[in-house]
Amino acid sequence: MSLFSAFAVYFVIWWITLFAVLPFGLRTQDEAGDVVPGTTESAPHRFRPWRVVMWTSLVSAVVFALWWLVVKEIGFTLEDLARLIGPA
């Protein structure tokens, strides 16, 4: 696998993980008791994008390492996945 392909897989994992990590630790304006006029009550009270990026990168790196282990070291392929699912 080329470096570009590995980066592409990491990029896809990163984006999927971003949407999974985004709500972690989120405190809404309603929960904080400080709703800014013109915004919804469910809007973040204090959004910290760098914290989200850090956690997303960390979780993505772990998932990518597991994927790398399964695919490159163990040798699991799409044909193996098809066999696990069952006969067509």
Side-chain angles (χ1 to χ4, degrees):
M1 172 182 299
S2 70
L3 183 62
F4 181 76
S5 296
F7 179 74
V9 169
Y10 179 79
F11 183 76
V12 170
I13 291 171
W14 194 91
W15 275 103
I16 292 169
T17 306
L18 171 67
F19 291 108
V21 169
L22 202 55
F24 291 172
L26 178 70
R27 189 165 181 217
T28 64
Q29 290 180 12
D30 187 40
E31 293 170 341
D34 183 26
V35 178
V36 177
T39 63
T40 62
E41 296 154 347
S42 60
H45 172 63
R46 185 173 42 159
F47 181 63
R48 293 173 270 184
W50 292 112
R51 182 177 169 190
V52 172
V53 168
M54 179 199 63
W55 279 109
T56 301
S57 299
L58 184 68
V59 172
S60 297
V62 170
V63 172
F64 180 78
L66 290 172
W67 173 83
W68 185 269
L69 176 71
V70 168
V71 171
K72 293 305 261 180
E73 300 300 323
I74 298 174
F76 194 77
T77 64
L78 288 176
E79 287 100 22
D80 297 328
L81 183 62
R83 273 186 259 140
L84 283 176
I85 293 173

